[in-house]
Amino acid sequence: MQVEKNFEPTVVAFCCNWCSYAGADLSGNNRIQYPANVKIIRIPCSCRLNPMFILRAFQRGADGVILCGCHPGDCHYTSGNYFARRRMTLLFSMLSFLGIEKERCRVEWVSAAEGAKFAATMNDFVATITRLGENKKLEDLRCKK
Amino acid sequence: MTVSYYPGCTLKTKAKNLDLYARKCAEALGIALEEIPEWQCCGGCYPVAKDEIATKLSSVRALAAAKEKGQTLVTVCSACHNVIKRVNHDMQTDEEIRDKVNRYRAPDEPYEGETNVLHYIEMLRDLVGFDKIKEKVVNPLAGKKIAAYYGCLLLRPGKVMAFDNPENPSILEDFIRALGAEPVLYPARNECCGGYLTLEDPEIPKKRSETVLQSAQNHGAEVVTTACPLCLYNLQKNGGSEIPVVYITELLAEALGLK
Amino acid sequence: MEQNNFKETVLRISGVNPKKCMRCGKCSGACPNYDEMEFHPHQFVSMVENGEIEKLMTSPSVYKCLTCFACVERCPRQVEPAKLIEAVRLCVIRQAGQNHLKPDQIPEMLDEDLPQQAIVSAFRKFTK
Amino acid sequence: MQRIGVFVCWCGSNIAATVDVKKVAETLGKEPCVVYYENYQYMCSEEGQNKIINAIHEHKLSGIVICSCSPRMHEATFRRTAQKAGLNPYMVEIANIREQCSWIHKDMATATEKAIILGRAAIAKVHLNTPLQAGESPVVKRALVIGGGIAGIQTALDIADAGFEVDIVEKKPTIGGKMSQIDKTFPTLDCSACILTPKMVDVAQNEKIHIYSYSEVAAVKGFVGNFDVTIKRKARYVKEELCTGCGACTEKCPQKKVPNDFNLGLDNKHAIYIPFAQAVPKVATIDPDYCMMLKTGKCGVCSKVCAAGAIDYKQQDELVQQQYGAIVVATGYNPIDLKNYDEFAYSQSPDVVTSLEFERLTNAAGPTGGVLLRPSDRQHPHTIVFVQCVGSRESGEGCGKTYCSKICCMYTAKHAMLTREKYPDTEVYVFYIDVRTPGKNFDEFYRRAVEEYGVHYIKGMVGKVSPENGKLMVQASDLLDNKQLKIEADLVVLAAAIEPDPSARPLATMLTTQMDTNDFFTEAHPKLRPVESATAGIFLSGCCQGPKDIPETVSQASACAAKVIGLLAKDKLLGNPCVAESNELMCNGCSSCEKVCPYGAISYVDKEFKMPNRTIAVRRVANVNPAVCQGCGACTVACPSGAMDLKGFSNSQIMAEVDAICK
């Protein structure tokens, strides 16, 4: 029997510059560990996230994508995270329509003061994705090296 | 309106007055107390340890029986109330306990803390309304200075019991006011009477109960009222005072002209 | 080793994290039965953390706690000392032959007004 | 084709201990278009920056990637470096390999691999970077200070001193804040009013300072240098410009049963009142909840006695529009509500008071004329128990605050000491968990209270206060003696935790600044930018940012003023060039972007376009005002045709990062 290699998922995290990216920095400042599978992309606000970016990530082989923004009501740009929330709700229904496990994509609100929450969220998300296994449905094999 | 009623062991023997008048008054106030068939003793104390399962089953059986009928579960003994409400809270919030209890009982439908548990006094406030009781009073206890004794069981832990402000409650005082009497506020009303330690070492309940009655009398109380048979026992037996201690249901029955 | 086992058991069955304690002593300020106890609520917290469980287990203090939860209610850090005391007592009475109250002791303790509730409660607290 | 340079920082051992920096630099050096790579101990140092500058010159770099700490830390530094070397500052990208890599991972291989991927993503992005030019905007040379306590007063005075106009908005009828209620100040024991009121007079007399008292900020628009603020002046039913503050109206007002909030309800005031003798502005205010004239139309006594004719029962709230270059938040603090601490009998006995109430009870201008009397029977208390940390340092699961309120240890030592000095027959007990006295001459002060004044400091906490027989039975633990104490006290003083003023949260929303979970404003950097908020042009002064005593508040207030002066001294500000931009050729004029823009930065214009068949068509297209756009990017996603994009965070740039990470 072939021994399966430990599955190390690729996880993309989009973080808004003002809250969640700072929250991620804070978890670094406090040396709170979370898996290296998570790679963060900085965007000015969660409302900058075009759902296309998420689909692109899945197409390119990401196993999970998470969007982190300021808590509702705390957006640096007043209302951006409300837009993000609505857009993500639409994306979730589309993903479930496509038969993609909805757990592969997540939205979390993490403030600049919540370093511990950021790390906990990432630990949990990576554990979820590891359990789900590889994203095979949306990955575009043509994009593979 | 019909509610499920859990009397508890002591109300069937030593605290018959608590039970008798609870039933009479409820009837007069338009609430039918439907006793849960074949209820089992709650055990008197809530089993605090997280690994206690068997000791919680009797409470869960009563809770599940009320759920089946879709009724609120009403208790009048403070101890039963404390145990059943806290077990219900466990069933709502502690996944491990819920899981183990349901596996053990293996019911058709697992019990997950759906039943609403009310103490008799909460029932009077929320289902009847103190205003309505005030209207029904035929024999107002006017001029009587009554000290409500909460003890520890009704109030704590505050977050689980969600009964009233655990350090400065007012529900029994409002009740006393509705009966036409004057409530007495005194600081020891939420201090412990000494409880079951009376069995082993009555000296402890003696000190505790004396403190309680002293405090009540300092503030001008003429009567002390409680909902707990053990508190009543300790205050009467160990309190070192002649001040009358009565059940809340006795006061209610008196005011409603049912005694 | 034994000691660690007791500590583990106490922490597990109480669900209490004594590390949350900031040593303010409000539990012992609130305790109505303080003067009857050899070890006081705040000591239960620190001694459990230090693994001195056996010292607590042999102390009569474990039978003096009224479980009135005043310490739990007023603790500013939600440490819940009463749960620790209960857990230590359980460590004692769950051992074979360690019941603190025996049925044949009951008759001499009774008086005619004593409510059942007292006996039932004492049994639950003191025996297994 | 870009020519990219990669610079990997060790950050001493912060990065180098867990990331193989050499390997990262070499691996990234093999990426396409990377023509230069280097690793160095401290990239942000002068030496490190010189390396970057030299490399840009020598290798004709068109873009650089710095693998270092968070861009929130040093992005601005490295952009300035690039600019010095003649490279557009927006051709710099940072890969965060410290906070988001070396500090959170322990395994070197994993961390190195992740650092390489983060570097690749930054390289992928810089490929698509374009030089950006920041627009300029003028600076309105006027500052707004919200809150007129000692923090606001000091900030306003310092800004005015530098020659700029300042407006103070204070919601109470007078400036002065909490400090005006305090009796003495620690550790010098000088009288609070004696050092505060001269400052209040300075404010009143300063030509550059204008006070909007009894007013609130209603709306804030705009951005750094150009805030547009609406101030609501609440109706005080007295014409401020006419009132002379003679006090005839308050003497004659028949409604005398109004709880006096200045004395925390310990006595009563009239329905028309001046909060205290040294109020600034010294103008009467009518409390509409109690004034008989306003409630029933029957009275009018104050109007009859006012020689200046200042009373105006018909006065309405008034909105004032004003422009500011900078805004200072100085909204201060309040003691918490003690409704969840009834074990201390605060709501059950008038003789259980908060420390602030105790200040009023000892203040010469207070309800007892400075004689310490119990509120219940106006008798001199002989035993006083002080309880520390009421509602502070809690676990956060309950009702209290998780932080230390910082000022209580010192003011309690002050109260205890002053009581013992004035009334040596009084026994004073202080129950403490820890005595925290960092500060100049603070610990010496506390020791004096113990050693010279004989205050009983007891390590332990009060568990219950029971009012019995006119006394307060205090049951407490003495941890060092391992005893439970029962003290018969006459007065119990609770050191209630302090929390930000409730007006702070809605204000933060208006200002789009961040707060922490306790509603304290978050500073831009906890160490290096302590008086600025993360939102440009908004500054923080005093307790709105965290608990502080007076000396600390005053130093922060002055620091804040220095930052404001630095901003107002500029004639022009460089804006954020990372703004939205619409591709007119793709725009279909649907207005989706306009609807989601929170700043109203997008408008639509009719524009002529040359069509392929040489005709000219007029089309409606989106137009972004770069001075107003803040660069959130909401419009870019709303745009159905893909015409709208965000400079610096363009669709293609983010996609490139995604691709680099997912490879």
Side-chain angles (χ1 to χ4, degrees):
Chain A
M1 222 178 105
Q2 203 183 337
V3 183
E4 225 174 278
K5 215 185 106 198
N6 274 350
F7 168 55
E8 287 290 345
T10 304
V11 172
V12 181
F14 290 96
C15 291
C16 84
N17 181 45
W18 302 96
C19 286
S20 306
Y21 195 86
D25 278 356
L26 183 61
S27 93
N29 285 327
N30 294 340
R31 314 294 196 271
I32 310 171
Q33 312 252 316
Y34 57 87
N37 309 62
V38 180
K39 314 283 189 306
I40 296 171
I41 294 180
R42 183 164 71 128
I43 49 179
C45 174
S46 52
C47 71
R48 176 64 189 95
L49 183 89
N50 195 320
M52 292 293 291
F53 301 159
I54 295 182
L55 295 175
R56 170 79 156 220
F58 282 132
Q59 182 196 23
R60 293 290 164 133
D63 302 299
V65 182
I66 182 165
L67 168 64
C68 299
C70 310
H71 284 269
D74 288 351
C75 177
H76 179 76
Y77 304 100
T78 325
S79 52
N81 48 7
Y82 292 123
F83 293 131
R85 187 164 65 181
R86 287 192 209 171
R87 287 166 188 161
M88 290 301 280
T89 311
L90 280 178
L91 180 74
F92 288 145
S93 40
M94 194 188 105
L95 287 177
S96 77
F97 178 77
L98 291 174
I100 309 302
E101 303 91 336
K102 66 174 193 298
E103 295 85 1
R104 287 201 187 275
C105 191
R106 193 190 282 190
V107 186
E108 285 284 348
W109 312 123
V110 180
S111 82
E114 294 175 328
K117 182 180 174 188
F118 185 86
T121 304
M122 291 308 151
N123 280 318
D124 183 64
F125 189 59
V126 171
T128 309
I129 300 300
T130 312
R131 203 171 54 239
L132 287 174
E134 236 176 302
N135 153 38
K136 289 183 176 144
K137 289 184 184 152
L138 273 183
E139 186 177 16
D140 189 339
L141 290 175
R142 291 168 300 180
C143 299
K144 268 211 155 156
K145 266 197 277 197
Chain B
M1 182 181 227
T2 308
V3 297
S4 285
Y5 176 55
Y6 181 96
C9 61
T10 314
L11 273 71
K12 289 288 174 187
T13 50
K14 298 285 194 239
K16 280 186 177 145
N17 277 352
L18 183 57
D19 180 52
L20 175 72
Y21 293 122
R23 290 174 194 262
K24 269 194 178 175
C25 296
E27 198 187 332
L29 294 168
I31 293 204
L33 298 182
E34 192 178 317
E35 187 168 333
I36 289 178
E38 292 175 9
W39 55 264
Q40 299 160 335
C41 174
C42 69
C45 295
Y46 167 76
V48 178
K50 288 180 94 65
D51 61 348
E52 293 271 342
I53 299 299
T55 40
K56 288 176 176 145
L57 291 174
S58 62
S59 300
V60 175
R61 287 190 186 108
L63 288 161
K67 178 191 163 187
E68 257 170 48
K69 291 196 179 137
Q71 291 172 349
T72 295
L73 180 61
V74 172
T75 57
V76 61
C77 166
S78 306
C80 302
H81 183 66
N82 186 278
V83 176
I84 292 176
K85 213 178 216 174
R86 288 171 77 179
V87 169
N88 204 33
H89 184 261
D90 285 341
M91 295 299 284
Q92 286 163 355
T93 57
D94 192 317
E95 206 175 323
E96 198 185 329
I97 291 177
R98 179 170 61 223
D99 192 43
K100 282 185 178 163
V101 166
N102 281 322
R103 275 164 200 265
Y104 185 87
R105 290 183 62 240
D108 295 336
E109 192 188 324
Y111 181 74
E112 294 178 342
E114 295 90 342
T115 300
N116 182 27
V117 183
L118 288 184
H119 187 265
Y120 193 80
I121 198 80
E122 290 179 293
M123 176 192 86
L124 294 181
R125 180 189 60 188
D126 301 342
L127 303 185
V128 181
F130 288 155
D131 288 345
K132 199 182 157 199
I133 292 178
K134 202 171 178 178
E135 287 165 22
K136 295 230 170 181
V137 166
V138 294
N139 179 22
L141 311 177
K144 232 179 214 172
K145 290 185 164 180
I146 305 179
Y149 177 59
Y150 290 85
C152 47
L153 293 169
L154 282 180
L155 298 168
R156 295 195 285 260
K159 268 191 196 152
V160 178
M161 299 305 287
F163 185 79
D164 203 341
N165 178 346
E167 301 294 351
N168 188 17
S170 60
I171 178 168
L172 282 175
E173 283 75 10
D174 293 341
F175 166 72
I176 290 166
R177 244 175 247 121
L179 302 184
E182 186 190 328
V184 175
L185 281 180
Y186 63 109
R189 65 208 161 107
N190 65 344
E191 290 294 319
C192 181
C193 68
Y196 53 84
L197 287 193
T198 185
L199 209 60
E200 191 179 57
D201 182 2
E203 279 308 304
I204 291 171
K206 213 168 174 168
K207 279 186 209 157
R208 305 267 46 85
S209 300
E210 276 172 9
T211 313
V212 171
L213 289 186
Q214 201 78 68
S215 173
Q217 279 170 304
N218 280 347
H219 289 78
E222 296 160 2
V223 180
V224 176
T225 185
T226 175
C228 175
L230 186 50
C231 295
L232 183 108
Y233 171 84
N234 272 329
L235 296 182
Q236 280 182 340
K237 196 89 181 176
N238 295 321
S241 163
E242 293 302 310
I243 187 169
V245 186
V246 298
Y247 289 122
I248 53 165
T249 53
E250 290 181 276
L251 286 179
L252 180 61
E254 194 183 331
L256 296 179
L258 299 170
K259 203 171 172 183
Chain C
M1 190 63 218
E2 181 78 313
Q3 226 175 32
N4 282 335
N5 276 344
F6 275 131
K7 181 176 174 184
E8 230 168 73
T9 310
V10 168
L11 296 182
R12 179 175 51 81
I13 67 179
S14 65
V16 170
N17 175 8
K19 288 201 176 77
K20 277 164 58 178
C21 174
M22 64 164 162
R23 312 280 188 254
C24 74
K26 197 176 181 187
C27 48
S28 287
C31 181
N33 222 19
Y34 183 96
D35 291 334
E36 317 296 332
M37 297 171 87
E38 178 194 6
F39 295 116
H40 306 117
H42 73 276
Q43 288 174 289
F44 269 85
V45 179
S46 60
M47 288 169 75
V48 166
E49 202 196 326
N50 296 335
E52 299 172 88
I53 317 283
E54 275 163 326
K55 231 173 172 176
L56 294 171
M57 284 167 66
T58 50
S59 164
S61 300
V62 290
Y63 306 110
K64 302 294 181 195
C65 169
L66 300 161
T67 331
C68 75
F69 268 56
C71 53
V72 173
E73 195 65 47
R74 292 173 200 162
C75 175
R77 300 202 63 84
Q78 265 73 39
V79 176
E80 311 184 307
K83 291 191 177 175
L84 279 182
I85 302 177
E86 174 103 0
V88 174
R89 181 176 53 233
L90 288 173
C91 279
V92 182
I93 62 174
R94 280 181 184 178
Q95 295 170 331
Q98 288 298 316
N99 279 345
H100 183 65
L101 189 66
K102 304 200 168 58
D104 49 8
Q105 293 175 298
I106 295 289
E108 62 184 87
M109 293 173 171
L110 289 181
D111 73 56
E112 55 177 323
D113 296 323
L114 189 78
Q116 273 73 359
Q117 182 194 348
I119 306 164
V120 173
S121 303
F123 260 98
R124 179 165 281 180
K125 284 289 177 189
F126 294 157
T127 66
K128 267 298 142 193
Chain D
M1 210 54 169
Q2 302 269 24
R3 294 176 61 80
I4 299 170
V6 176
F7 301 86
V8 183
C9 180
W10 302 14
C11 194
S13 64
N14 280 307
I15 293 172
T18 24
V19 171
D20 184 345
V21 281
K22 197 159 167 255
K23 186 176 168 195
V24 172
E26 279 166 6
T27 315
L28 293 179
K30 296 191 187 99
E31 289 292 304
C33 297
V34 174
V35 294
Y36 181 77
Y37 62 89
E38 185 163 356
N39 65 84
Y40 182 65
Q41 218 161 7
Y42 292 106
M43 270 303 163
C44 59
S45 67
E46 198 184 346
E47 181 69 26
Q49 293 192 44
N50 284 337
K51 279 180 185 290
I52 298 174
I53 291 173
N54 291 339
I56 292 173
H57 287 312
E58 264 175 47
H59 300 275
K60 301 193 170 46
L61 301 180
S62 64
I64 58 172
V65 167
I66 321 271
C67 300
S68 63
C69 55
S70 172
R72 293 173 57 87
M73 188 80 192
H74 275 315
E75 189 174 55
T77 313
F78 292 122
R79 280 190 174 154
R80 276 195 301 272
T81 313
Q83 199 163 23
K84 267 189 227 161
L87 185 65
N88 183 285
Y90 292 87
M91 297 306 293
V92 177
E93 285 299 329
I94 311 279
N96 184 344
I97 61 165
R98 193 178 75 171
E99 281 85 345
Q100 296 178 6
C101 187
S102 72
W103 275 354
I104 47 165
H105 305 312
K106 286 199 172 125
D107 177 51
M108 190 134 188
T110 325
T112 307
E113 193 190 325
K114 179 170 172 181
I116 290 169
I117 295 176
L118 292 176
R120 275 198 192 118
I123 293 169
K125 188 177 180 193
V126 93
H127 268 292
L128 299 161
N129 278 19
T130 47
L132 300 177
Q133 288 305 333
E136 284 184 342
S137 58
V139 178
V140 178
K141 308 256 175 190
R142 190 184 191 96
L144 171 66
V145 175
I146 304 169
I150 181 61
I153 288 174
Q154 186 64 45
T155 305
L157 284 172
D158 288 354
I159 297 172
D161 230 17
F164 297 106
E165 300 279 338
V166 191
D167 292 350
I168 298 179
V169 171
E170 167 58 51
K171 68 177 175 184
K172 295 254 171 73
T174 172
I175 60 169
K178 292 284 176 301
M179 193 175 167
S180 65
Q181 293 174 292
I182 294 172
D183 183 36
K184 299 256 178 357
T185 55
F186 60 77
T188 45
L189 293 181
D190 40 1
C191 149
S192 181
C194 311
I195 54 178
L196 174 71
T197 47
K199 275 195 186 288
M200 289 165 65
V201 174
D202 286 351
V203 169
Q205 291 176 347
N206 195 312
E207 282 175 5
K208 296 277 183 193
I209 302 179
H210 181 80
I211 304 171
Y212 289 102
S213 64
Y214 210 50
S215 303
E216 282 165 16
V217 172
V220 179
K221 284 204 186 105
F223 48 92
V224 54
N226 288 281
F227 291 107
D228 197 350
V229 179
T230 312
I231 298 165
K232 184 169 98 179
R233 307 190 65 182
K234 292 179 281 184
R236 69 198 311 161
Y237 306 102
V238 175
K239 288 181 186 138
E240 209 176 308
E241 61 287 2
L242 295 182
C243 177
T244 59
C246 70
C249 52
T250 58
E251 268 170 45
K252 292 283 172 347
C253 174
Q255 175 55 281
K256 296 170 185 161
K257 287 273 161 67
V258 184
N260 185 355
D261 54 341
F262 186 72
N263 282 336
L264 303 153
L266 292 166
D267 66 352
N268 290 329
K269 64 181 181 189
H270 295 82
I272 185 164
Y273 64 99
I274 296 173
F276 56 98
Q278 298 84 7
V280 170
K282 198 167 182 193
V283 173
T285 305
I286 293 180
D287 188 329
D289 294 336
Y290 291 91
C291 171
M292 298 311 289
M293 188 65 188
L294 289 172
K295 282 173 73 181
T296 66
K298 293 193 188 83
C299 183
V301 171
C302 51
S303 171
K304 282 179 208 125
V305 299
C306 180
I311 310 292
D312 176 7
Y313 299 119
K314 299 244 154 37
Q315 202 174 61
Q316 300 280 317
D317 291 354
E318 189 191 337
L319 293 179
V320 182
Q321 239 16 65
Q322 191 61 264
Q323 309 257 303
Y324 299 99
I327 297 178
V328 176
V329 184
T331 44
Y333 73 94
N334 280 306
I336 58 164
D337 186 344
L338 291 175
K339 64 172 187 292
N340 290 316
Y341 296 90
D342 275 322
E343 63 266 35
F344 300 125
Y346 178 72
S347 62
Q348 292 135 59
S349 169
D351 296 332
V352 180
V353 297
T354 64
S355 299
L356 196 55
E357 287 164 3
F358 188 81
E359 293 281 353
R360 297 312 299 155
L361 287 176
T362 50
N363 191 303
T368 55
V371 186
L372 180 56
L373 300 174
R374 322 206 291 172
S376 65
D377 53 8
R378 299 183 76 82
Q379 293 297 308
H380 168 58
H382 292 281
T383 306
I384 305 181
V385 169
F386 288 89
V387 187
Q388 298 271 272
C389 300
V390 177
S392 296
R393 306 173 62 187
E394 297 210 351
S395 63
E397 298 146 77
C399 42
K401 305 293 179 186
T402 50
Y403 50 85
C404 165
S405 294
K406 198 171 188 177
I407 56 175
C408 325
C409 284
M410 284 304 289
Y411 70 57
T412 299
K414 172 191 79 178
H415 289 161
M417 190 189 279
L418 288 172
T419 306
R420 289 283 297 163
E421 182 174 73
K422 227 171 159 185
Y423 310 99
D425 62 331
T426 308
E427 287 301 321
V428 175
Y429 299 88
V430 177
F431 284 92
Y432 69 92
I433 305 172
D434 300 288
V435 180
R436 295 177 167 178
T437 53
K440 195 172 165 185
N441 295 325
F442 282 14
D443 205 63
E444 295 89 326
F445 183 83
Y446 149 61
R447 290 312 309 167
R448 250 167 62 212
V450 178
E451 292 169 27
E452 289 174 31
Y453 289 88
V455 176
H456 307 295
Y457 266 79
I458 300 167
K459 178 162 172 64
M461 187 67 179
V462 172
K464 176 140 178 154
V465 176
S466 311
E468 297 280 4
N469 302 324
K471 295 266 184 187
L472 297 164
M473 298 302 301
V474 177
Q475 181 182 300
S477 59
D478 179 338
L479 293 181
L480 296 180
D481 269 359
N482 205 10
K483 273 195 310 210
Q484 191 177 62
L485 304 177
K486 293 189 177 72
I487 298 172
E488 226 174 77
D490 299 307
L491 190 70
V492 170
V493 185
L494 306 177
I498 61 174
E499 64 181 359
D501 192 85
S503 63
R505 166 78 40 193
L507 186 65
T509 309
M510 270 189 260
L511 297 172
T512 66
T513 47
Q514 288 158 40
M515 293 189 126
D516 62 19
T517 45
N518 294 310
D519 279 7
F520 286 114
F521 282 86
T522 310
E523 59 280 11
H525 188 283
K527 277 149 252 170
L528 303 177
R529 293 174 67 196
V531 298
E532 296 155 81
S533 80
T535 306
I538 311 285
F539 301 87
L540 311 173
S541 179
C543 285
C544 68
Q545 180 261 344
K548 275 176 202 67
D549 58 20
I550 294 169
E552 217 181 325
T553 297
V554 171
S555 22
Q556 201 203 16
S558 289
C560 185
K563 287 286 168 190
V564 172
I565 294 163
L567 169 61
L568 296 188
K570 293 191 179 106
D571 293 321
K572 299 256 180 217
L573 282 183
L574 281 183
N576 167 22
C578 296
V579 292
E581 187 182 40
S582 168
N583 182 339
E584 289 170 345
L585 296 174
M586 287 166 79
C587 175
N588 65 11
C590 72
S591 289
S592 299
C593 53
E594 190 184 8
K595 284 180 198 137
V596 298
C597 179
Y599 302 98
I602 303 173
S603 56
Y604 274 81
V605 287
D606 289 325
K607 211 167 170 182
E608 289 181 351
F609 287 89
K610 286 184 186 136
M611 303 306 278
N613 52 0
R614 297 198 178 175
T615 55
I616 286 185
V618 177
R619 272 183 33 223
R620 188 172 172 273
V621 291
N623 185 36
V624 179
N625 178 351
V628 180
C629 175
Q630 296 295 297
C632 68
C635 52
T636 60
V637 187
C639 178
S641 57
M644 195 62 86
D645 211 345
L646 186 65
K647 292 187 208 166
F649 292 96
S650 69
N651 289 332
S652 55
Q653 282 174 313
I654 298 177
M655 295 272 210
E657 284 182 273
V658 169
D659 292 356
I661 288 173
C662 295
K663 231 184 231 170

